[in-house]
Each structure stands twice: as C-alpha cells, then as structure tokens.
Amino acid sequence: MLTVLLIIFGVAFIAPWLHSILKEKTGWVLALLPLGSFVYLLSHLPQIAAGETITQSTTWVSMEFFEINLAFYLDGLSLMFGFIITGIGTFIVLYGSGYLSGHTDLPRFYIAVLMFMGSMLGVVLADNLISIFVFWELTSFTSYLLIGFNHEQEASRKAALQALLVTGIGGLSLLAGLVMMGFATGHWEVSALLNEGEVVREHAHYLPILILVLGGAFTKSAQFPFHFWLPSAMAAPTPVSAYLHSATMVKAGVYLLARMHPVLGATETWMILVGGFGALTLLISAWLSLSFTDMKQILAYSTVMALGTMMMLIGLGTELSMQALVVFILTHAMYKGALFMVAGAVDHEAGTRDVLKLGGLRSLMPISAAAAAVAALSMGGIPPLFGFVAKELVYEAALGAVSWPVLFISFAVVANMAIVAASAIVAIRPFYGKLVETPKKAHEAPLSMWIGPSILAALSVVFGVLPFLADKSLLIPAAAGVWGAPIDFYLSLWHGINLPLILSVLTLAGGLLIFWIWDGLRESAPMRVYQSAFATLPATVYDKLVDGMLGLAEWQTRVLQNGFIHNYLLTIITVALIGIGYTFLSKAGIHWNLQFADVHFYEWALTIAILVSLGIMMAFGHSRLTMIVGTGIIGFGLALIYLIHGAADLAMTQVLVETLTVILVVLVLTHVPKLKEVRSVASRSRDGVVALAAGLLMMMLIFAATAAPFDAFISEFYAEASYPLAHGRNIVNVILVDFRALDTMGEVVVVAIAGLAVFALIKMTRSGSSKEGKRYE
Amino acid sequence: METILPILAGAIFASGVYLLLRQSVILTIIGIILISNAVNLALFSLGRITTENPPLIASGSVIPELPFANPLPQALILTAIVIGFGLLAFALALAYRSYKELGTVDQDTMLKDAEDTSSAIVTDSENNEKRNA
C-alpha cells in the first residue's frame, strides 16, 4: 500500500511534464492512476469480504517512547473509503481536464488533486496514529491549494485560508488527542488500539481525549458551529468541490470517528456529543440549503446535512446505525459527486449556476439533465434508487436509538423534507420549464465532463435495484469495521409497509410541498433571519476572531518592536533578570559568606579606587574626560587584581588591551559632541533599578557558584599534561596555542576581520573615491 | 579577596548595564566595556582564587609546584579580553562613522532621522550617478 501511495505522489510531481507532452489527452492518461489504484484495492476485495484484514508496516521513526511507522491497515471500512476516493478520483481527474481545459494552471490542478488523492488515501489506509495525522494535515494543505486555485481572486484566497485555519486548528486538537490516546494505552497502531477500547474508556483522560479528537473530526467534517468554512470553500473550481468538499475530504472526520468508534464510542458522552452535534448539524444545514439560489451553495449545505447525518449515525452507536452509516456514505458519495459535477457542467456551459437564471436546459444538455435527475432522485430518497435504501435505514436507525428516538427521528424527517426540496430544486429548476437566456450559449458538456456523473448516477440505480451486489462483499465488512465486531445484514428495496416507509412518504410529500412554495419561502423574513443566524453569523464570528488576532499581533509588535534600542535592551534585560533570578532563587537560594578578615590593605585600596571611579562615572556621565579616565582606572585595576592572584599573562594582556582601549576611546570621543542625557528622571531611575538588580544578581550568582564544591578535574589535566604532551612550561599559553589552538586561531580571525571592518568604516566612503569622501570630514 | 571580587563584579556589571541603557551610543559602548570586564572578573572568581603562584612549571620539573593558580579560567579570560577588544574597536568605529553620516550619537534622534536619511542617501547616490554620467 505504501508503494501505491508513493506512485501517486510521484506521478503528481511529474504531471506538469506529462501535460506538456500529452496536452489535451493528459486527463485521460492521468485518470489511469486512480483507476489503477481502484483496481489494486479491488484485488483485495475477496479477502476483505471473507472477513480478513490486511496490515503492512514500514518503520519510519523509532524512539524509546513511541514508534512512528508507515503502517497500513485495510479492512472493510478503509476499503470502502478507498473505493470512493479512487473511484470518484478517476472521474474527477477526467472532469477536471474538461472543466479547466485551456486554463493556464491546469498542470497545477493535476499536481494538487493527485497529491490530495494520495493524502486522503493515506488517511483511510494508515494504521499508525501519527501517520494518520500526517496524512490528515496533508489533505488540509492540498485542500488549501485547491480552494485557492483561482488565487487572483481575493474571495478564493480568503476561503482557502479560512478552510486551512479552521481545519488546521482542528488538526492540532486531533494531534493532541491522538498522542494522549497513544500514551494512555501504549499502542500507536489503530489495529492494536481496536482491542484496547476498555482501557481508553476507563482512562482518567478519556474525556479530554474524546473532546480533542472530536475537535479534529468536527472541524474537518464541517459540523455545526464549524460548518461555515465548507460553503465558503465552494470558491474552489467545481471538480475540487465535488471531490474534496463533498465526496472525500470532508468525510475524513466521519471516517476517523467511525474508525475510533470501537475505541472511544459506546459511552453516554460519546452519544450526546457525536449524536447531538450530528443531529443539530443535520437539521440546521438542511434548511439553510433552501435559503440559497446558487446550485453549489445548495449542494454544499446539503453536504453539511449529509455529514451531520453520518455523525448522528455514529453517535447513535447501535448495530443498525452502523449499517445505515456505511450504506449512506456510499450512496451519498455517488449522488452528491454526480450532482456537483452536473452543477459544474451547467456553470461551465451556461455561464451561471444561479437556479433563478436557468431553465429549460434539458433539450440542450440531455445527458447532464438525465444524470442530475437520477442523482437527485437518489438524494431525495425515492425508490428504486440506492438513496432510498439508505434513507430507510437512517430512519430505522433513528427510530432504534437507545435514548430520545423521537427527537432523532423528527430531526431526520424534518431535515430530509428540506433535502427532498433541495434535490428537486437542483434537478428541475435548471433543466425544465421555459428555456431561459443564459450568459453563455449552452450546449452539452464534453465527454470527459458527463461520463463521471452518468456512471455515478447509473450506479445509484444498479445498487438500488440490486442491493445484494454491494452488501455481502463490501458493506458488511465496512459496518463490522465501525461496529468493532462481526455484523450480518442484507439490503433490500422493499421492507413491507412499516413506519420508516410511512415516514418516507411523509418526507416526500413535505419536500414536494416545500419545493412548490420555495420561491416565496426563500424570500420570507423568517428564512432571511434563519440564514443570517446560522450561515452568516458563524462566519462573522470567525472574521472577528481573525481580525482580533491580527490586531493583537499588531499591538504587540508596536509595543515590543517600536524601533527604540533602549526599549529592546530594557525588555531583554528585564526578561533575562526575571527568568534567571526566579530559577536562581528557587533552585539555589541565597548564599552569604562574607569574610573581610584576610583582605590586605592594598586590596582595599584597589577596591575603593574602582568603586569610587564607578561612582564618579555614574554621577558625571556627560563628561567625556570622566568616562575615559574611569574606564581606564577600572581596566588597569582589573589588571592589578589579576596580577595579585597569580595570573601574570592575564594582567599583561589586560594592560595592553586597556591601553589600546583608552587610546581608541579618546580618538573617537574627541570627534563626537558632549554626551548629554535628556531622558526624564523617572526613565533614568527605572534604568537604575534594572541595573542595580542586574548587578545584585551577578553578585549573588558568583557567591552561590563559589560556595558549591569545586571540581578541578580539567584544570589538573592541563597542568599535568602541559609539559609531557606539549613541552610548554606556561600552562595558560599551552592551553591557548596548543590544546585549544583552533579556538585561538578563530579568535585571531575575528580580530583580523574586526580590524578590516574598522578600516572600512573609517577610511572608505560610499562613492568609493577618497575625493568624494572629503565631503564628510 | 574571595568576598570582594563578587561585589566588585556586581558593581561594575550594574554600572555597565546602566550605561548600556543611555541615549548616547558612546555611553552604550562604554557600558559594553564595563560589562565585559565584569564578566571576566566573574569568570576569574568562579575558577577559585586561592593562591598567588602563577601556573608555571619550573625548569627541570614536569608538573607545576603546588599550590598554583587555576590556569583554565585564565585561558578563557585571555580569549575573552582579546575578542572583547575586537568588538569594542568595531563598535567605536561604527559609532564614529554613524556620527559622520548622521551628525548625531543619540539613538533616539538616529531613529527619528532614519527616514530622512535613507531618502537623503538615495538622492545622494542619484546625484553621484548624474555627475558620473
């Protein structure tokens, strides 16, 4: 499976070259890649149908506490998602080549869409928690590139960033949840975790783990109140919307929770959170879809509704709801993919996708119209289509809920009425009725653009009429994967006259009624309020949050980075003082060991000379002469201290350097004006306090450090090795020019470079000639 | 003297930090000199000052006569003094050149003049180009 992913990523990167060779035919060639992956997965179908699972593992990073493996796990659930990803991927590559035909950035589309496909396949196949996260983030990243495909438009860029931020923050939350789960159980492979459900559920951190994982899943799968990014993401080209934002990526959250159901599920918290948010999303977004006239917006909200349905089914956590879940996922991918592609074809050929500006296209675009009609019938849940089977199961599952079945079923029925109306709107309004003048002269879309929706629509019919084609081989293993134990069921169109069927009839009638009065309903005041409350408000809150963050960044930049070096220094010194001081006081404590008894009188004299000259320097800071003399006294004073304590070489160096320093300072100070200070007394006192604190801390540090026991190991080594190894009798010199010769050479280079720089600064002028330079002197 | 050295190092360090925070870049540089002196002194104290005998080996013997001063901090400080001098020379030259270019050694004034100066430099080089042409 790793090989398949590597091939997909590899081909993604050579796609532009393929495009420059194959031109128009690239789409057809590249479509072989998802098709080939589909066939590869198909070859594993018999094994999976027999109830087996396949694991493959390659070590990636191995550490003491955890392993990150490129491990893959294929069971019914991942296989079903794999089929959806590669199957629809095949049509999307074809469709994209037609939709973006002639677009200069078509190669970029191929790269991003194939990379996305590889990442998404990685999410559903990966076994290791960390590699799931890596692929998960890769889907967010490629989704960003694809939503922002038309990057010249501000709306695209904004929508892309919005999707990235929302799913990215969710991704971080997911990472935290996965890592906690890994440490809680000690297992980093999903296949192993599946048997550790008890451990996780009884763990003290179960609730944080659950909430963090849900944070990732809910943002990715656009659950209320994070649903707003998905309709904005419709700024992407339609092939992208059809693929990422309907059939695959947005289902990553659903996949993750389905995968984790045996580990995290089957608790009351799970049911309330997952089922509750799912049901809420389902109801709210279904009706939102009726407040728009843009086909893609209608479909986007109906997708959010479908995602809500899936979440609700996962939350219900019954055997029946798992069957409903897998059937619903499969059927949704088929009809929604088809409808999006048709919407894109209409937009592409007629120049608009506003249903109010469309009509009567059936005669001009017969194939698209037929595909749309069949897919919409499936979406509306009309027999004999596969969508009907799914909807019956959803109703049964809602009725069979352990708690509040009445609530769940009424949410589901009311939402599905809206969805029936929505599917009628997208399938009937553009294609039937009087032919309306459109911005472009409409005609049937090219083969590459109608083949996908047609086959998907046809499959909705095939699976609807002959449901046994899919149940034994694929759906039962998939449902068993979610349920965590073997499951058996069969699908059929006709269940006899029962409550779900009666509810279906009711839904249909209600939906058609809504469709009838849609024009009035859409413009009505309650609908406007509803739209602004649930569609506009969350997006506004997001905008405000982003603005607030930028404002905060601006504010702190203004405060911290205001350009005054005084300010920077003060901040740095204060932070360092607080950090070091806190650590020092809490770890080492204060050491006082004052002994003045053995201090000689000349040492007192030296000390007092240095302290007095410091005092004079502080008091008469504006006088250049004071500064020069003061610096000199301190420097030579130090040289004497070194000399007294057996450091003859140091004293010599210090005297030489100090002499040069004084000469340099004198040279410069004679050229610059008086060192006047205009800062306020308050500012100077503040600096004084900081300086005193720094000096005090320095003193305490030395006291504390010298109070600790001394390890003379290195010094003794140098002393003993100096003559035998380096034949030098001055140990300090031997250290410098022999043991640490490379350091000393580096030091010499530094001084040489400083010398060159000084020469350049003093002698050279901008124009390069010394004549020009005269102007500055 | 073990007690006095930390106090001296602290006092020089405090004065250095205070000068570092002054407006004139010259004072800032003198602050840097003082700070590096204080740090050298600190390093010297940390190697323990116990004796007055330099770490030298008498001719005829292989190891120095005990007790001898710790050679390691001396080697470190020697390097630090020289590097510190390099930094100082460069900083002073930079201050000198800034004063020649900007006409001030006041940090705050330098900042306020920064925009005028950069535009002045542009016009200046434009003038040069014109002259050359």
Side-chain angles (χ1 to χ4, degrees):
Chain A
M1 284 180 254
L2 180 60
T3 326
V4 175
L5 290 183
L6 288 179
I7 292 174
I8 293 175
F9 280 108
V11 173
F13 283 109
I14 59 161
W17 283 281
L18 282 180
H19 183 73
S20 64
I21 299 166
L22 297 164
K23 312 277 183 218
E24 296 292 297
K25 300 273 179 287
T26 322
W28 293 91
V29 176
L30 282 179
L32 291 175
L33 182 69
L35 188 65
S37 316
F38 186 85
V39 173
Y40 167 79
L41 290 172
L42 201 61
S43 70
H44 287 298
L45 185 61
Q47 273 173 286
I48 301 298
E52 292 173 37
T53 57
I54 302 166
T55 49
Q56 294 170 358
S57 183
T58 313
T59 306
W60 182 10
V61 181
S62 186
M63 280 192 281
E64 196 183 339
F65 295 111
F66 60 96
E67 285 194 335
I68 305 176
N69 295 327
L70 285 170
F72 298 98
Y73 177 65
L74 189 67
D75 71 342
L77 184 66
S78 36
L79 186 66
M80 185 178 81
F81 272 96
F83 280 147
I84 294 174
I85 294 161
T86 53
I88 295 187
T90 310
F91 299 129
I92 291 295
V93 171
L94 278 182
Y95 184 86
S97 74
Y99 188 86
L100 296 169
S101 167
H103 196 295
T104 45
D105 286 334
L106 183 56
R108 198 153 54 80
F109 167 78
Y110 287 135
I111 299 180
V113 87
L114 290 178
M115 268 174 61
F116 166 76
M117 192 178 77
S119 320
M120 189 65 208
L121 213 49
V123 171
V124 299
L125 294 180
D127 192 15
N128 184 284
L129 292 177
I130 303 296
S131 46
I132 288 182
F133 171 75
V134 170
F135 285 120
W136 177 283
E137 290 294 278
L138 274 175
T139 63
S140 293
F141 164 71
T142 43
S143 153
Y144 172 74
L145 294 180
L146 285 166
I147 298 173
F149 184 74
N150 292 317
H151 55 85
E152 301 86 358
Q153 293 163 11
E154 200 195 339
S156 292
R157 294 198 302 271
K158 213 175 150 226
L161 188 63
Q162 189 183 53
L164 185 71
L165 283 178
V166 174
T167 56
I169 290 169
L172 287 180
S173 151
L174 173 70
L175 177 65
L178 292 180
V179 169
M180 280 174 80
M181 194 152 60
F183 278 117
T185 58
H187 290 287
W188 294 87
E189 316 288 296
V190 172
S191 49
L193 272 173
L194 291 178
N195 303 319
E196 301 287 333
E198 284 299 312
V199 180
V200 180
R201 282 191 293 270
E202 317 238 301
H203 198 272
H205 294 151
Y206 170 70
L207 192 64
I209 293 177
L210 180 65
I211 290 175
L212 288 169
V213 171
L214 290 184
F218 282 180
T219 46
K220 196 81 163 180
S221 284
Q223 296 298 295
F224 182 80
F226 308 113
H227 62 287
F228 59 89
W229 73 263
L230 182 54
S232 315
M234 293 299 136
T238 306
V240 176
S241 311
Y243 193 35
L244 275 70
H245 306 120
S246 168
T248 56
M249 187 185 85
V250 289
K251 290 199 186 108
V254 173
Y255 166 79
L256 184 80
L257 292 189
R259 177 51 85 216
M260 289 296 163
H261 175 255
V263 186
L264 293 170
T267 64
E268 203 176 335
T269 329
W270 169 277
M271 193 191 130
I272 293 171
L273 287 178
V274 182
F277 274 100
L280 214 58
T281 309
L282 150 107
L283 186 66
I284 290 172
S285 55
W287 283 84
L288 276 179
S289 70
L290 296 179
S291 68
F292 292 90
T293 58
D294 177 346
M295 286 171 85
K296 276 179 82 172
Q297 288 295 321
I298 299 173
L299 290 173
Y301 278 105
S302 80
T303 304
V304 179
M305 175 272 179
L307 295 168
T309 310
M310 294 171 199
M311 285 295 178
M312 181 183 85
L313 291 171
I314 296 175
L316 291 178
T318 60
E319 217 177 304
L320 198 60
S321 72
M322 297 312 163
Q323 300 169 15
L325 173 70
V326 293
V327 176
F328 186 72
I329 290 174
L330 190 62
T331 180
H332 175 259
M334 288 175 189
Y335 68 67
K336 196 55 66 66
L339 281 175
F340 261 112
M341 287 195 245
V342 170
V346 168
D347 187 19
H348 195 252
E349 304 308 331
T352 177
R353 33 173 219 256
D354 188 334
V355 288
L356 299 182
K357 296 180 185 143
L358 291 164
L361 286 174
R362 184 172 52 118
S363 51
L364 300 174
M365 304 177 70
I367 306 173
S368 297
V374 175
L377 285 174
S378 186
M379 173 160 144
I382 317 277
L385 288 128
F386 200 37
F388 171 73
V389 181
K391 197 176 62 180
E392 294 291 282
L393 277 171
V394 172
Y395 282 180
E396 271 182 55
L399 286 168
V402 183
S403 5
W404 311 306
V406 182
L407 183 80
F408 284 119
I409 190 68
S410 42
F411 271 40
V413 170
V414 174
N416 269 298
M417 285 180 183
I419 289 305
V420 169
S423 43
I425 291 165
V426 290
I428 295 178
R429 294 292 288 246
F431 295 106
Y432 296 85
K434 204 156 61 69
L435 187 63
V436 175
E437 195 66 31
T438 51
K440 273 161 86 176
K441 195 91 189 83
H443 53 79
E444 185 55 85
L447 170 66
S448 59
M449 284 176 71
W450 61 251
I451 184 166
S454 307
I455 293 180
L456 288 174
L459 282 176
S460 291
V461 181
V462 172
F463 283 140
V465 179
L466 310 167
F468 55 84
L469 280 179
D471 58 4
K472 277 273 176 293
S473 55
L474 183 61
L475 294 171
I476 289 179
V482 191
W483 181 237
I487 244 180
D488 198 21
F489 62 93
Y490 69 95
L491 298 177
S492 64
L493 260 184
W494 181 248
H495 286 254
I497 297 177
N498 53 10
L499 192 53
L501 187 71
I502 297 170
L503 289 173
S504 279
V505 175
L506 193 69
T507 310
L508 190 61
L512 290 177
L513 179 70
I514 296 167
F515 174 63
W516 194 257
I517 61 164
W518 180 56
D519 284 311
L521 177 74
R522 191 183 64 240
E523 300 302 333
S524 67
M527 199 64 176
R528 292 290 116 203
V529 174
Y530 183 74
Q531 185 192 15
S532 58
F534 291 109
T536 322
L537 187 64
T540 317
V541 170
Y542 161 85
D543 284 340
K544 284 272 179 294
L545 279 176
V546 172
D547 288 348
M549 211 151 68
L550 291 178
L552 182 72
E554 240 167 65
W555 171 82
Q556 65 112 15
T557 309
R558 225 173 27 241
V559 170
L560 292 177
Q561 316 264 334
N562 61 359
F564 287 97
I565 195 164
H566 176 257
N567 200 45
Y568 294 112
L569 283 173
L570 206 58
T571 312
I572 293 169
I573 294 172
T574 314
V575 170
L577 280 181
I578 292 172
I580 298 173
Y582 174 76
T583 319
F584 172 65
L585 289 177
S586 60
K587 302 270 180 200
I590 297 174
H591 292 263
W592 283 112
N593 186 21
L594 301 180
Q595 288 169 330
F596 295 109
D598 60 342
V599 184
H600 296 288
F601 81 94
Y602 56 85
E603 291 174 337
W604 277 119
L606 202 55
T607 311
I608 290 166
I610 292 176
L611 289 179
V612 167
S613 53
L614 280 177
I616 294 174
M617 278 170 85
M618 293 305 108
F620 303 98
H622 55 276
S623 154
R624 287 171 287 184
L625 190 64
T626 316
M627 283 297 148
I628 294 167
V629 175
T631 321
I633 291 177
I634 292 161
F636 291 117
L638 285 196
L640 283 174
I641 290 178
Y642 294 143
L643 193 64
I644 295 170
H645 294 101
D649 300 281
L650 269 190
M652 227 152 71
T653 319
Q654 176 80 14
V655 167
L656 289 176
V657 165
E658 202 51 48
T659 313
L660 279 173
T661 304
V662 170
I663 293 173
L664 266 180
V665 174
V666 168
L667 278 179
V668 172
L669 283 192
T670 49
H671 282 90
V672 302
K674 273 191 122 182
L675 312 166
K676 64 176 189 297
E677 181 71 32
V678 294
R679 288 224 176 87
S680 67
V681 178
S683 159
R684 272 184 281 174
S685 327
R686 188 188 50 193
D687 295 348
V689 170
V690 171
L692 272 181
L696 207 61
L697 183 64
M698 174 59 110
M699 187 176 77
M700 306 298 272
L701 280 173
I702 302 173
F703 272 130
T706 46
F710 182 62
D711 181 0
F713 171 73
I714 303 175
S715 309
E716 276 163 14
F717 163 79
Y718 282 129
E720 283 160 19
S722 177
Y723 191 74
L725 290 184
H727 301 283
R729 295 187 181 279
N730 183 335
I731 303 171
V732 176
N733 286 7
V734 167
I735 294 175
L736 285 174
V737 297
D738 203 305
F739 291 114
R740 311 293 312 160
L742 204 61
D743 289 356
T744 308
M745 198 180 82
E747 176 197 339
V748 172
V749 173
V750 169
V751 174
I753 290 174
L756 282 177
V758 169
F759 176 78
L761 279 169
I762 293 178
K763 280 290 168 198
M764 289 166 113
T765 55
R766 271 197 309 270
S767 53
S769 74
S770 54
K771 238 182 191 173
E772 292 287 327
K774 284 279 193 290
R775 275 192 311 134
Y776 300 108
E777 278 155 24
Chain B
M1 199 69 182
E2 289 101 316
T3 313
I4 289 181
L5 280 195
I7 299 173
L8 270 184
I12 300 176
F13 192 67
S15 315
V17 170
Y18 182 75
L19 288 182
L20 192 68
L21 294 170
R22 302 279 50 81
Q23 241 166 323
S24 157
V25 278
I26 302 294
L27 289 182
T28 302
I29 292 168
I30 293 178
I32 294 172
I33 302 177
L34 290 190
I35 287 175
S36 68
N37 272 334
V39 171
N40 288 344
L41 210 50
L43 212 54
F44 195 59
S45 305
L46 292 186
R48 306 297 192 277
I49 37 169
T50 47
T51 173
E52 301 175 1
N53 299 331
L56 299 172
I57 302 169
S59 62
S61 93
V62 181
I63 51 164
E65 195 183 333
L66 289 170
F68 59 93
N70 189 351
L72 189 61
Q74 296 191 19
L76 294 176
I77 296 169
L78 226 154
T79 311
I81 291 175
V82 177
I83 292 277
F85 176 70
L87 172 72
L88 167 77
F90 177 72
L92 276 174
L94 198 61
Y96 168 78
R97 183 60 184 264
S98 315
Y99 174 66
K100 289 285 157 197
E101 298 282 332
L102 303 171
T104 178
V105 286
D106 185 304
Q107 290 162 2
D108 299 356
T109 322
M110 280 180 182
L111 181 77
K112 280 167 206 148
D113 290 350
E115 282 185 7
D116 314 343
T117 316
S118 58
S119 56
I121 290 171
V122 172
T123 30
D124 215 38
S125 60
E126 273 170 4
N127 291 343
N128 283 346
E129 273 165 28
K130 272 180 205 159
R131 217 172 306 158
N132 292 343

